[in-house]
């Protein structure tokens, strides 16, 4: 989707907040390295801008989900280690090696297939072994297979074993029984290794906030963006500063008499003379259709979204007349009031991670370094 710059609707990204969130994590873990997780366009914040800011806070690498996301960072001039957390196709091993991108490996067969491609080249592929300790997603299940993978790599110059890691399923929950089980299994596997690769890692945001997780590197995702991974179930052990806000302006205001219908399907009718404003944002921007009945902030007033959310516009009810061009805050602070992403996501019946990923490329990201 083409980015629409000539419209007052913008995601404002506070890079100073990103930096502070990282610095706080370093204060808690002065001896560990941090890789900034910037998959999905930096959780909707903009991968390159977040990655460059993260560097100024001392991170030493990045994590992404796909090879294209990794190449985007390389193309932007970032030379630090980049780990692809998902699995790539064996035929793309050469591409990853050429760009010095580290890949996640979870099957011995994959190594064999990749070896056939790499054989034709003089490049070396950096590999992190993924252990499935209870997520049921990608990863080796048995110690034996992991040993085979390590031996295979040791015997082939086209592989460089750089890391081993796992991922926890319940690090954001109050009950830590399952977490401890996964942690124990991972440390047993790590202790049984013939030798250790440079990186051993297991911590996402929830793990580093509420547990410890073993290893020497942290994969810092959602809490770098200032959001609580547990959605408020557990309180964060550091102050989290949200970096994302969403703003627009009133594009038209009108006073509609009692009994006027608003929007598709005529789902809202004015009960008296009402000031109705139209805001140029809709579900094509990622402002979900189910947000009807939620609020936006205008001059510090919570104003209800009335009528259905359209593809490109929403209507809101104002407490009184406001001028066209008045600022509207859909997420963030406005005159001492705030709508958090958490509240927005909860209203939509989802989590802030998903809500962030849904804000589309039609919304320009505007970067501020203070705020
Ligand atoms: C996305 C992801 C992370 C980051 O998780 P947060 O909850 O955002 O900190 C870490 N590790 C893996 C494997 C991931 O997929």
């Amino acid at each position: 989707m083409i980015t629409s710059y000539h419209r007052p609707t913008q995601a404002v990204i506070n890079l100073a907040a990103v930096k502070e969130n990282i610095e706080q994590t370093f204060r808690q873990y002065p001896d560990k390295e941090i890789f900034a997780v910037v998959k999905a366009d930096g959780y909707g914040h903009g991968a390159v801008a977040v990655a460059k800011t993260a560097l100024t806070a001392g991170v030493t690498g990045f994590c992404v989900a796909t090879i294209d996301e990794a190449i985007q960072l390389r193309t932007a001039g970032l030379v630090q280690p980049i780990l692809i957390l998902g699995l790539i196709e064996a035929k793309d091993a050469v591409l990853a090696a050429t760009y010095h991108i580290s890949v996640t490996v979870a099957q011995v067969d994959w190594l064999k297939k990749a070896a056939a491609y790499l054989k034709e080249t003089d490049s070396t592929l950096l590999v992190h072994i993924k252990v499935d300790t209870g997520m049921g997603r990608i990863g080796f299940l048995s110690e034996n297979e992991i040993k085979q993978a390590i031996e295979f790599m040791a015997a082939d110059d086209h592989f460089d074993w750089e890391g081993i890691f796992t991922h926890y399923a319940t690090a954001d929950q109050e009950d830590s029984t399952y977490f401890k089980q996964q942690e124990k299994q991972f440390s047993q596997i790590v202790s049984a290794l013939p030798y250790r690769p440079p990186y051993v890692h297991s911590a996402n945001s929830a793990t580093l906030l509420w547990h410890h997780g073993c290893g020497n590197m942290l994969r810092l995702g959602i809490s770098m963006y200032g959001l609580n991974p547990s959605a408020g179930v557990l309180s964060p052990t550091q102050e989290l500063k949200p970096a994302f806000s969403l703003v627009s302006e009133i594009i038209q205001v009108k006073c509609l008499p009692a009994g006027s219908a608003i929007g598709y399907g005529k789902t809202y009718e004015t009960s008296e003379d009402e000031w109705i404003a139209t805001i140029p944002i809709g579900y094509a921007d990622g402002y979900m259709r189910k947000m009807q009945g939620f609020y936006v902030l205008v001059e510090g007033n919570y104003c209800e979204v009335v009528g259905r959310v359209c593809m490109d516009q929403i209507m809101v009810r104002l407490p009184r007349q406001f001028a066209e061009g008045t600022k509207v805050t859909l997420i963030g602070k406005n005159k001492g009031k705030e709508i958090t992403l958490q509240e927005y996501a909860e209203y939509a019946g989802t989590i802030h991670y998903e809500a962030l990923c849904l804000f589309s490329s039609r919304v320009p990201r505007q970067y501020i370094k203070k705020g």
Side-chain angles (χ1 to χ4, degrees):
M1 205 158 356
I2 194 154
T3 307
S4 292
Y5 294 101
H6 301 89
R7 194 178 62 153
T9 303
Q10 290 182 330
V12 180
I13 311 300
N14 180 358
L15 294 173
V18 169
K19 190 162 183 238
E20 281 177 47
N21 292 326
I22 298 169
E23 285 166 350
Q24 289 210 55
T25 307
F26 270 126
R27 254 172 256 141
Q28 218 170 331
Y29 294 98
D31 303 329
K32 302 213 187 204
E33 284 192 46
I34 295 179
F35 277 24
V37 183
V38 294
K39 61 195 182 189
D41 200 25
Y43 294 41
H45 294 65
V48 171
V50 170
K52 288 185 172 167
T53 300
L55 279 182
T56 68
V59 314
T60 43
F62 306 102
C63 298
V64 295
T66 69
I67 195 163
D68 298 272
E69 291 180 346
I71 292 172
Q72 181 193 24
L73 298 182
R74 283 283 178 261
T75 308
L78 297 164
V79 298
Q80 292 72 19
I82 303 173
L83 169 62
I84 303 173
L85 298 168
L87 297 180
I88 68 165
E89 294 180 77
K91 67 175 168 57
D92 291 326
V94 177
L95 187 61
T98 309
Y99 278 98
H100 303 288
I101 293 165
S102 310
V103 304
T104 293
V105 168
Q107 300 118 311
V108 177
D109 263 2
W110 188 94
L111 286 171
K112 291 181 182 161
K113 282 187 204 146
Y117 290 102
L118 290 162
K119 200 170 64 182
E120 319 287 330
T121 73
D122 54 7
S123 39
T124 308
L125 184 65
L126 296 158
V127 171
H128 288 232
I129 286 183
K130 179 72 182 282
V131 190
D132 181 5
T133 55
M135 183 71 180
R137 202 165 64 176
I138 56 172
F140 287 98
L141 283 170
S142 82
E143 220 174 288
N144 188 31
E145 277 182 306
I146 293 168
K147 284 211 172 109
Q148 280 176 42
I150 295 166
E151 279 163 20
F152 187 91
M153 288 191 280
D156 187 331
D157 282 348
H158 291 94
F159 293 102
D160 188 355
W161 182 33
E162 191 184 41
I164 185 163
F165 73 113
T166 194
H167 194 54
Y168 298 118
T170 62
D172 61 343
Q173 292 176 10
E174 226 156 343
D175 184 347
S176 60
T177 318
Y178 193 68
F179 176 90
K180 287 191 179 130
Q181 202 176 305
Q182 279 195 268
E183 192 181 39
K184 191 168 162 213
Q185 200 187 328
F186 186 58
S187 17
Q188 276 169 356
I189 284 173
V190 171
S191 331
L193 293 172
Y195 55 98
R196 285 198 188 186
Y199 290 108
V200 176
H201 49 113
S202 65
N204 61 353
S205 301
T207 305
L208 66 91
L209 285 172
W210 296 300
H211 310 273
H212 223 75
C214 46
N216 57 358
M217 181 262 271
L218 311 169
R219 305 188 300 269
L220 183 63
I222 199 78
S223 66
M224 171 174 70
Y225 303 98
L227 297 167
N228 178 340
S230 83
V233 174
L234 300 171
S235 27
T237 54
Q238 67 179 58
E239 193 199 341
L240 299 173
K241 292 204 170 156
F244 186 96
S245 53
L246 184 65
V247 299
S248 188
E249 287 176 7
I250 295 174
I251 206 92
Q252 186 173 17
V253 181
K254 54 182 65 165
C255 185
L256 290 175
S260 305
I262 312 279
Y264 289 119
K266 205 168 155 292
T267 59
Y268 180 84
E269 228 175 73
T270 54
S271 52
E272 53 189 334
D273 280 5
E274 292 181 13
W275 286 101
I276 301 294
T278 299
I279 323 292
I281 186 168
Y283 58 77
D285 299 292
Y287 195 83
M288 286 176 260
R289 192 162 177 275
K290 55 177 71 130
M291 298 319 288
Q292 176 170 356
F294 192 61
Y295 297 91
V296 304
L297 283 167
V298 186
E299 297 283 346
N301 299 280
Y302 290 96
C303 303
E304 187 183 338
V305 177
V306 292
R308 286 206 179 126
V309 171
C310 309
M311 189 183 289
D312 319 304
Q313 304 175 72
I314 60 172
M315 287 69 85
V316 303
R317 188 183 59 236
L318 306 176
R320 58 186 169 84
Q321 184 175 17
F322 289 116
E324 287 161 5
T326 303
K327 181 180 169 182
V328 175
T329 302
L330 299 112
I331 289 160
K333 290 188 180 143
N334 180 307
K335 299 254 159 101
K337 301 280 169 43
E338 185 174 15
I339 295 173
T340 64
L341 251 174
Q342 177 59 33
E343 290 159 352
Y344 171 85
E346 235 165 67
Y347 188 85
T350 184
I351 55 172
H352 46 50
Y353 289 85
E354 184 184 25
L356 277 174
C357 292
L358 292 178
F359 291 116
S360 72
S361 56
R362 191 161 78 177
V363 180
R365 270 60 175 173
Q366 193 211 327
Y367 295 100
I368 54 169
K369 305 225 154 128
K370 257 199 237 164

